[in-house]
Amino acid sequence: GAVVSQHPSRVICKSGTSVKIECRSLDFQATTMFWYRQFPKQSLMLMATSNEGSKATYEQGVEKDKFLINHASLTLSTLTVTSAHPEDSSFYICSARSDRAWEQYFGPGTRLTVT
Amino acid sequence: LAKTTQPISMDSYEGQEVNITCSHNNIATNDYITWYQQFPSQGPRFIIQGYKTKVTNEVASLFIPADRKSSTLSLPRVSLSDTAVYYCLVGDNDNAGNMLTFGGGTRLMVKP
């Protein structure tokens, strides 16, 4: 099946710094990538949708200037959490979808801890 | 978007069959029903998808009644490793945006 990777798997950063999370589709071209956030014991919440080569579409309530998304190639999307605060600590999950299939393939997630 | 309702949690024992039901009363004609499994600190994993009647794969079966207002995921002979959260999603395959809303999920605990 299609494989999506994320890097890093875990990251700890200090409050006020920025951190970048990468999402890669390893064996298919992902025309669309999605970013989710999941707090402990809660469900996944969609943050934004990005299409290769165009600006991301953010869900209501998600600050686009804080969560910068870049989808510059068909295999890579990045999420940068700028000026991170402890409340941004969460599990960030990406998924990817090609234009040939409906299914979205999920990455393993990135655990962000802001101290 | 069709909203889904699932039990918050379920307990079972090894070797038993587990049935998790999802309600989706306002499912649309073009909507499919998809189930995902998520282990702690991992991304969701696709289990099964169906439109109507019954679908079976090597992992599970999905039962969908004629009115399609609910669906039941059936896991045969569960093991401890099936302890996870199971999500039911409803949406149009041709419109990825419809398949992106995760409900609360059902937390399945399999006991020895």
Side-chain angles (χ1 to χ4, degrees), chain B residues 15-43:
Chain B
Q16 289 187 336
E17 177 184 80
V18 171
N19 296 308
I20 306 174
T21 298
C22 178
S23 296
H24 28 80
N25 291 319
N26 58 339
I27 188 169
T29 303
N30 294 334
D31 286 347
Y32 283 72
I33 301 154
T34 308
W35 286 80
Y36 287 88
Q37 175 192 55
Q38 186 183 27
F39 296 113
S41 296
Q42 293 187 28

Side-chain angles (χ1 to χ4, degrees), chain A residues 36 38 43 102-104 111, chain B residues 38 41 43 46 49 100 102-103:
Chain A
Y36 297 81
Q38 185 175 33
S43 184
W102 63 269
E103 188 174 353
Q104 52 175 324
R111 175 77 58 192
Chain B
Q38 186 183 27
S41 296
F46 171 83
Q49 184 187 70
L100 304 175
F102 281 77

Side-chain angles (χ1 to χ4, degrees), chain A residues 31 50-56 70-74:
Chain A
T31 50
S50 72
N51 291 296
E52 184 266 339
S54 61
K55 290 184 178 181
N70 183 281
H71 191 168
S73 78
L74 287 172

Side-chain angles (χ1 to χ4, degrees), chain A residues 10 34 36 38 41-46 49 91 93 95 97 101-109 111, chain B residues 34 36 38 41-46 49 87 89 93-97 99-105 107:
Chain A
R10 291 177 177 269
F34 309 94
Y36 297 81
Q38 185 175 33
K41 304 293 185 182
Q42 294 187 24
S43 184
L44 284 77
M45 290 184 56
L46 180 66
T49 302
F91 192 53
I93 306 170
S95 69
R97 179 179 184 258
W102 63 269
E103 188 174 353
Q104 52 175 324
Y105 301 94
F106 287 87
R111 175 77 58 192
Chain B
T34 308
Y36 287 88
Q38 186 183 27
S41 296
Q42 293 187 28
R45 182 176 75 100
F46 171 83
Q49 184 187 70
Y87 293 98
L89 278 72
N93 279 353
D94 292 331
N95 182 355
M99 203 72 81
L100 304 175
T101 301
F102 281 77
R107 192 172 299 273

